[in-house]
Amino acid sequence: MGLLRNSLCVLALSLLAASAGNAATLLEPTLHLKPQAPEGGGRVALTLDACGGKTDTRILSALVDNRISATIFVTGIWLKRNAAAVEIMRAHPDLFELENHGGRHIPAVDTPRKIYGISSAGSPDAVQAEVESGAAALASAGGPAPKWFRGATAEYSPSAIAMIRKLGFKIAGFSVNGDGGSLLGAKETARRIGAAKDGDVIIAHINQPTHAAGEGVVQGLLALKQKGMTFVRLDDADGIGNDGTTD
């Protein structure tokens, strides 16, 4: 009986260790632009997530008015609710590139858990469904097929990364977290974005019009433009990501 009890304890500890190991394997990939001889102040890629909700017209108007290019990662949820913003973006194909942020804004993690309070996809099939439904939503909205994917929370299990790559998508990491998930104040957001260097990929959000961070996004972008920085879309520049996300 004692031997059985000891065996069960060993099994329980093994399962606990395996669970802890799995919990530690989530990756938040980085992405940088491939170096090139910079002209003026260098170049950066602005990426904006449209997770759900509405459109921050402060940011959208500033991008159009100041001719600032951006890659917009949109979910199927956001696309359904923001037809007017999509129409503006489609009217400026030289500025905006729309890419895949998933069908329902579910983290691309193939084991059950929560990331920042959001339940993960939880299985390989669910990850695939999230990626493919996001691509289908973009196809229904018209325009080019997406080539890039960014999952909700921008964290992934390694096996999910491999699956997404097999589906034909590059995974968009980043090197500058501009707005802290749209939760930072305007001043800190502007400081972070305004400090971006040549080759950086910035992440911020365009779906929170009531948050102070949106004002900071605009201020930071205008500061970069004032420095002579060139803005490029991900499709217009070679990006180098770690953890097998782009190679």
Side-chain angles (χ1 to χ4, degrees), residues 7-243:
S7 297
L8 290 173
C9 287
V10 170
L11 176 60
L13 289 171
S14 298
L15 291 173
L16 181 61
S19 175
N22 288 337
T25 59
L26 289 193
L27 302 173
E28 186 180 86
T30 60
L31 183 66
H32 290 85
L33 303 183
K34 186 173 290 186
Q36 68 173 25
E39 298 178 3
R43 60 179 191 160
V44 296
L46 170 64
T47 68
L48 295 169
D49 288 0
C51 310
K54 300 182 179 180
T55 303
D56 192 332
T57 56
R58 296 170 297 180
I59 299 174
L60 183 56
S61 296
L63 297 179
V64 173
D65 293 344
N66 293 279
R67 307 293 300 164
I68 294 175
S69 298
T71 302
I72 316 293
F73 283 90
V74 299
T75 65
I77 298 169
W78 185 88
L79 283 171
K80 290 179 180 178
R81 300 172 180 171
N82 293 273
V86 173
E87 186 176 346
I88 292 171
M89 293 175 185
R90 294 296 194 203
H92 297 277
D94 55 327
L95 294 181
F96 299 112
E97 166 192 349
L98 272 59
E99 296 290 351
N100 187 357
H101 197 32
R104 297 189 295 138
H105 198 248
I106 298 173
V109 174
D110 53 15
T111 54
R113 59 180 301 168
K114 287 195 173 182
I115 304 98
Y116 301 117
I118 303 175
S119 295
S120 67
S123 71
D125 286 347
V127 171
Q128 182 170 342
E130 172 69 359
V131 176
E132 292 183 338
S133 62
L138 272 165
S140 297
K147 300 176 183 177
W148 290 84
F149 176 80
R150 174 180 288 155
T153 76
E155 295 197 7
Y156 311 81
S157 50
S159 48
I161 287 176
M163 175 190 294
I164 295 164
R165 294 293 289 122
K166 286 182 180 179
L167 291 173
F169 294 94
K170 293 182 179 180
I171 296 173
F174 56 91
S175 60
V176 174
N177 186 338
D179 64 358
S182 193
L183 298 177
L184 295 177
K187 184 176 180 179
E188 176 61 13
T189 298
R191 184 195 68 77
R192 289 188 180 194
I193 293 176
K197 301 293 191 296
D198 180 39
D200 273 331
V201 175
I202 302 165
I203 183 175
H205 292 75
I206 195 171
N207 67 306
Q208 296 289 355
T210 64
H211 289 195
E215 178 185 345
V217 170
V218 173
Q219 292 172 355
L221 294 175
L222 294 181
L224 288 177
K225 185 177 181 182
Q226 183 67 29
K227 293 177 183 178
M229 195 71 75
T230 299
F231 296 90
V232 298
R233 303 173 304 181
L234 291 184
D235 246 9
D236 297 329
D238 291 328
I240 303 173
N242 62 351
D243 298 316

